[in-house]
Amino acid sequence: MQAKGNRHLNSAGRQGGMSLIGLIIGAIVLGFAALVVMQVVPMYIADQKLVTIFKSLEKETASSPAEIRRMADKQLDINEVDDRFDSKDFDIRPVTGGFDVKYNYEGRATLFANLSLVADFEHQVRVSN
């Protein structure tokens, strides 16, 4: 009977759970993930606003690149991304029946010190005349 009691004490004395080291490592991983999310999400939100602007340009008609830039500047201002993007950087080329508007750029999210995440974005739309 005493042997059963000892077995019971040994298994009860050993508790499962996370050690302090495991807790610290988990907190570091969770903190790093939160940092990445906080830096990357605004970059993608701004890009989605740019996608919306390009979709609205596709529905418009324009007779010149300057007119396309004016429409784009207005939309950039309305969507509050005129501090990130400039219509002067849009590549506007005449094609049959209108203009091709392209904008390719790199989005950068600085994590800390000299470590950054880089995302390449490409947008293209045809504006008819």
Side-chain angles (χ1 to χ4, degrees), residues 29-44 109-112 115 117:
V29 169
L30 199 61
F32 184 75
L35 177 67
V36 169
V37 167
M38 289 187 316
Q39 294 294 326
V40 171
V41 167
M43 181 173 54
Y44 276 96
T110 302
L111 297 179
F112 50 85
L115 183 63
L117 290 174

Side-chain angles (χ1 to χ4, degrees), residues 93-113:
R93 296 178 190 253
V95 294
T96 305
F99 299 92
D100 268 345
V101 182
K102 294 181 185 178
Y103 185 50
N104 302 334
Y105 71 99
E106 285 186 350
R108 291 187 177 270
T110 302
L111 297 179
F112 50 85

Side-chain angles (χ1 to χ4, degrees), residues 7-8 35 42 69 73 80-81 83 94-95 102 107 114 117 125:
R7 267 192 261 146
H8 181 66
L35 177 67
R69 290 188 202 287
D73 283 335
E80 298 179 347
V81 289
D83 59 330
V95 294
K102 294 181 185 178
N114 61 351
L117 290 174
V125 70

Side-chain angles (χ1 to χ4, degrees), residues 58-101:
E58 190 173 30
K59 296 174 186 172
E60 299 289 336
T61 58
S63 59
S64 70
E67 187 177 353
I68 293 170
R69 290 188 202 287
R70 277 193 302 276
M71 289 187 295
D73 283 335
K74 182 179 176 183
Q75 289 295 319
L76 290 168
D77 185 43
I78 289 170
N79 286 286
E80 298 179 347
V81 289
D82 53 340
D83 59 330
R84 285 186 179 235
F85 307 112
D86 191 349
S87 67
K88 293 175 188 168
D89 297 328
F90 293 0
D91 182 23
I92 303 173
R93 296 178 190 253
V95 294
T96 305
F99 299 92
D100 268 345
V101 182

